[in-house]
């Protein structure tokens, strides 16, 4: 019986070709929007997570000032100014689970010159053990020695893209008039590498000499935790230890400890928001498509009042008429869903080819199809019920 | 002779504002297997109501209706639908074929609704189309057929589930006289093959071929004529 009703619906859809296709198109657009937008959002999420994996998750970064965990990145100025000093570095080095900690000084707006070309860039001054934290490897060369104060390690972009001439290991760059020999160029890390590709790293004492920063002063401390300990636990321990050295209560910290987990969580929140928003937009377009189906079915019921009468006169009961119309609208939904999914998967594949992160998952495809089917069925429900309840004589007399 | 249809004191009253309209006011009727009956009467005589009740599209206010020995006057809605499909072969003035279905599918439709297997449906639909002289139009769409041909398809469809009676409502009303005469000839042929037929009409031409004519007036049987076999 269902097979017969299915065929009956199909014949009817084919009969009213243009209108059926327009209705189907509404669903196609809705489903394609869902699959496409969510696919891209998920792809984006995956690529961000992948880039987190590049740097590993076993680090914590401690900076002065409380930026708050909810403030996110790069937005508000520190609520509580503070300092990170040698005392903090020593304290962190004593924290259980910390493999090593390394003080970092940032030199902003430094004049960097290569051959005749000058540029304003920021330079990181680091302690010799910082070299151990570069786990992503070198394009060429390596890290400078512990007492080497006239060498620099530069990121892949600085070496290859920033200046007109490519910088090679062995070349000399000058920073505020001081010459540094490039001894290492780090491998390309990509988007998630927190700027490693654009970094210029020199010895911290060398940078102090250039900028005149105090001996005790650090812009931040990078702490790498031992493999065996959870980085979050280590992060919490560091926080506790620093509260002691800074003599502040919980909630009043004048420093901030970023851990990979925290950073990832914040990215996750942003991405979640993005996915929800994008999904919402997509669902709206699907609902609009559903209204199209409902409209089409209402018209169809009206047009086919006589047919309903005929069917009833030759033995169709209310249930059969109901199923007939429901199956028809579900079919419109399903056909629209199928076309929409095929269409959007093709586009996603194309996007992948040109390098846009896009994810095609079976769940997403199934969700798209299910949504289309459900929307089709729901939109057909009321018209179908109306159709099934039409009294036969009245329907037959309908002109 | 086996009785296939019996009406006992069937009444149908409608409320129209304050007054009651007695569309049918106590009709008795008995139709035996193989009979060919015309129900005639001027408009307002209760003819249409009679048609609806005989076609199980409407229930009488009171009285009993029995088809093939089974009382049907107060069956449930679903049961009525099933009986319409099985026991009544309805033929309409304007043919009422389903425009999206081929002739074969139209003829097979009542069988589909009754749950006959697809293979059996197709075989029987082909046979029925041959029986009404349209064996060569099995795959045509209704829009490709003439009025007379459409009515033949409708007759084949009405015969699909081997009903107790063929019930025709002005079957020649929308046809030119030549096609009309051919349809009446087809009814005659089917009746000769043993099929029970009731035609509701005001066309006196129909009366000339049936064996029995029932005249309705003001909701009651006014008179009845039987024609001797020629």
């Amino acid at each position: 019986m269902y097979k017969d009703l299915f065929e009956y619906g199909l014949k009817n859809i084919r009969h009213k070709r243009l209108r059926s296709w327009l209705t189907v198109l509404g669903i196609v657009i809705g489903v394609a929007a869902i699959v496409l937008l969510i696919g891209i959002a998920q792809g984006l999420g995956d690529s961000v997570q992948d880039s987190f994996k590049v740097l590993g998750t076993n680090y914590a970064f401690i900076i002065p000032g409380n930026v708050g965990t909810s403030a996110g990145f790069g937005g508000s100025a520190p609520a509580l100014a503070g300092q990170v000093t040698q005392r903090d570095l020593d304290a962190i080095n004593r924290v259980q689970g910390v493999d090593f900690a390394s003080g970092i000084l940032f030199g902003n707006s430094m004049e960097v010159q290569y051959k005749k070309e000058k540029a304003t860039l920021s330079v990181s001054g680091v302690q010799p053990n910082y070299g151990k934290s570069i786990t992503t490897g070198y394009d060429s060369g390596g890290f400078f020695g512990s007492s080497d104060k006239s060498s620099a390690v530069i990121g892949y972009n600085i070496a290859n893209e920033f200046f007109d001439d490519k910088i090679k290991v062995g070349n000399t760059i000058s920073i505020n008039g001081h010459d540094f020999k490039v001894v290492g160029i780090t491998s390309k890390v990509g988007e998630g590498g927190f700027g490693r590709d654009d970094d210029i790293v020199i010895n911290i004492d060398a940078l102090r000499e250039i900028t005149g920063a105090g001996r005790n002063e650090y812009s931040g401390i990078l702490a790498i935790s031992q493999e065996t300990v959870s980085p979050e636990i280590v992060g919490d321990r560091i926080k506790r230890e620093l509260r002691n050295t800074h003599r502040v209560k919980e909630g009043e910290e004048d420093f901030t400890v970023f851990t990979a987990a925290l950073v990832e969580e914040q990215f996750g929140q942003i991405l979640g928001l993005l996915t929800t928003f994008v999904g919402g937009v997509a669902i709206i377009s699907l609902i609009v498509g559903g209204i199209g189906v409902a409209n089409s079915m209402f018209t169809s019921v009206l047009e086919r009042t006589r047919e309903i009468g005929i069917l009833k006169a030759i033995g169709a009961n209310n249930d059969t008429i109901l199923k007939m119309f429901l199956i028809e609208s579900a079919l419109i939904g399903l056909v629209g869903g199928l076309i929409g999914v095929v269409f959007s998967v093709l586009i996603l594949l194309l996007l992948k080819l040109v390098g846009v992160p896009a994810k095609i998952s079976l769940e997403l495809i199934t969700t798209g199809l299910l949504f289309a089917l459900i929307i089709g069925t729901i939109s057909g429900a009321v018209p179908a019920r109306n159709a099934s309840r039409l009294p036969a004589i009245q329907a037959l007399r309908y002109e | 002779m086996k009785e296939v249809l019996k009406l006992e004191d069937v009444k149908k009253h409608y409320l129209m504002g304050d007054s009651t309209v007695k569309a049918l006011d106590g009709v008795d009727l008995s139709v035996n297997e193989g009979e060919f009956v015309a129900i005639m009467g001027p408009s307002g005589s209760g003819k249409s109501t009679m048609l609806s009740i005989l076609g199980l599209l409407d229930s009488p206010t009171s009285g009993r209706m029995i088809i093939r020995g089974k009382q049907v006057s107060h069956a449930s809605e679903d049961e009525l639908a099933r009986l319409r499909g099985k026991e009544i072969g309805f033929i309409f003035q304007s043919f009422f074929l389903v425009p999206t279905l081929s002739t074969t599918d139209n003829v097979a439709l009542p069988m589909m609704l009754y749950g006959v297997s697809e293979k059996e449906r197709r075989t029987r639909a082909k046979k029925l189309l041959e029986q009404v002289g349209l064996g060569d139009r099995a795959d045509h769409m209704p829009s490709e057929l003439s009025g007379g041909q459409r009515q033949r398809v409708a007759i084949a469809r009405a015969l699909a589930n081997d009903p107790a009676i063929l019930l025709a409502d002005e079957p020649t009303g929308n046809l030119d006289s030549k096609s009309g005469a051919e349809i009446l000839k087809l009814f005659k042929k089917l009746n000769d093959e043993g099929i029970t037929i009731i035609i509701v009409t005001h066309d006196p031409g129909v009366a000339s071929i049936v064996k029995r004519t029932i005249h309705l007036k003001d909701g009651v049987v006014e008179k009845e004529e039987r024609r001797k076999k020629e």
Side-chain angles (χ1 to χ4, degrees), chain B residues 194-205:
Chain B
I195 290 161
T196 316
I197 302 172
I198 298 174
I199 300 182
V200 178
T201 183
H202 61 253
D203 177 6

Side-chain angles (χ1 to χ4, degrees), chain B:
Chain B
M1 275 286 196
K2 228 168 105 191
E3 189 179 55
V4 290
L5 174 75
K6 190 176 172 70
L7 298 190
E8 286 177 3
D9 194 27
V10 165
K11 292 181 182 171
K12 182 71 184 178
H13 295 176
Y14 297 104
L15 260 154
M16 289 265 272
D18 294 338
S19 57
T20 308
V21 176
K22 296 176 178 176
L24 289 181
D25 202 19
V27 172
D28 294 291
L29 177 67
S30 169
V31 177
N32 287 331
E33 200 172 75
E35 271 204 274
F36 195 179
V37 182
I39 295 175
M40 298 189 68
S43 59
S45 60
K47 220 171 39 181
S48 298
T49 309
M50 182 77 164
L51 181 81
S52 302
I53 286 176
L54 288 176
L56 300 172
L57 295 169
D58 209 350
S59 305
T61 314
S62 69
R64 298 204 316 154
M65 178 166 166
I66 294 152
I67 295 178
R68 277 183 180 161
K70 192 172 184 296
Q71 153 118 7
V72 299
S73 13
H74 293 98
S76 73
E77 217 175 304
D78 276 358
E79 179 65 8
L80 279 176
R82 208 188 65 82
L83 284 166
R84 281 199 294 267
K86 177 68 189 96
E87 304 293 9
I88 309 291
F90 224 123
I91 297 156
F92 305 92
Q93 180 174 355
S94 340
F95 330 130
F96 285 175
L97 300 177
V98 177
T100 48
L101 300 180
S102 70
T103 45
T104 307
D105 286 342
N106 260 290
V107 176
L109 195 53
M111 293 186 265
M112 174 194 117
L113 294 168
Y114 199 64
V116 179
S117 79
E118 178 161 6
K119 202 176 145 212
E120 210 181 322
R121 279 188 333 236
R122 296 203 80 80
T123 319
R124 180 154 169 79
K126 287 239 154 64
K127 224 181 86 194
L128 287 168
L129 281 170
E130 273 160 28
Q131 200 178 352
V132 299
L134 282 180
D136 55 340
R137 296 282 193 276
D139 297 321
H140 284 57
M141 297 305 280
S143 56
E144 298 165 334
L145 301 177
S146 72
Q149 287 171 328
R150 286 185 209 185
Q151 196 59 301
R152 282 166 193 272
V153 176
I155 291 169
R157 181 179 66 185
L159 290 168
N161 284 331
D162 191 20
I165 45 171
L166 269 195
L167 182 62
D169 172 22
E170 300 283 11
T172 58
N174 274 17
L175 298 174
D176 60 74
S177 53
K178 187 168 163 275
S179 319
E182 276 170 14
I183 290 297
L184 288 182
K185 230 158 81 190
L186 176 60
F187 276 124
K188 182 97 176 52
K189 176 187 155 238
L190 292 172
N191 180 244
D192 287 343
E193 289 165 13
I195 290 161
T196 316
I197 302 172
I198 298 174
I199 300 182
V200 178
T201 183
H202 61 253
D203 177 6
V206 174
S208 65
I209 64 155
V210 299
K211 296 168 185 162
R212 182 180 166 200
T213 305
I214 289 157
H215 293 271
L216 284 181
K217 198 182 175 191
D218 299 331
V220 292
V221 177
E222 187 195 32
K223 61 175 179 178
E224 201 180 316
E225 293 170 310
R226 277 179 195 271
R227 225 158 45 102
K228 296 228 174 72
K229 269 198 175 157
E230 61 260 43

Side-chain angles (χ1 to χ4, degrees), chain A residues 294-307:
Chain A
N295 184 37
S296 180
M297 293 313 289
F298 270 116
T299 320
S300 186
V301 168
L302 216 63
E303 274 182 355
R304 288 158 71 194
T305 305
R306 178 89 69 69
E307 183 183 328

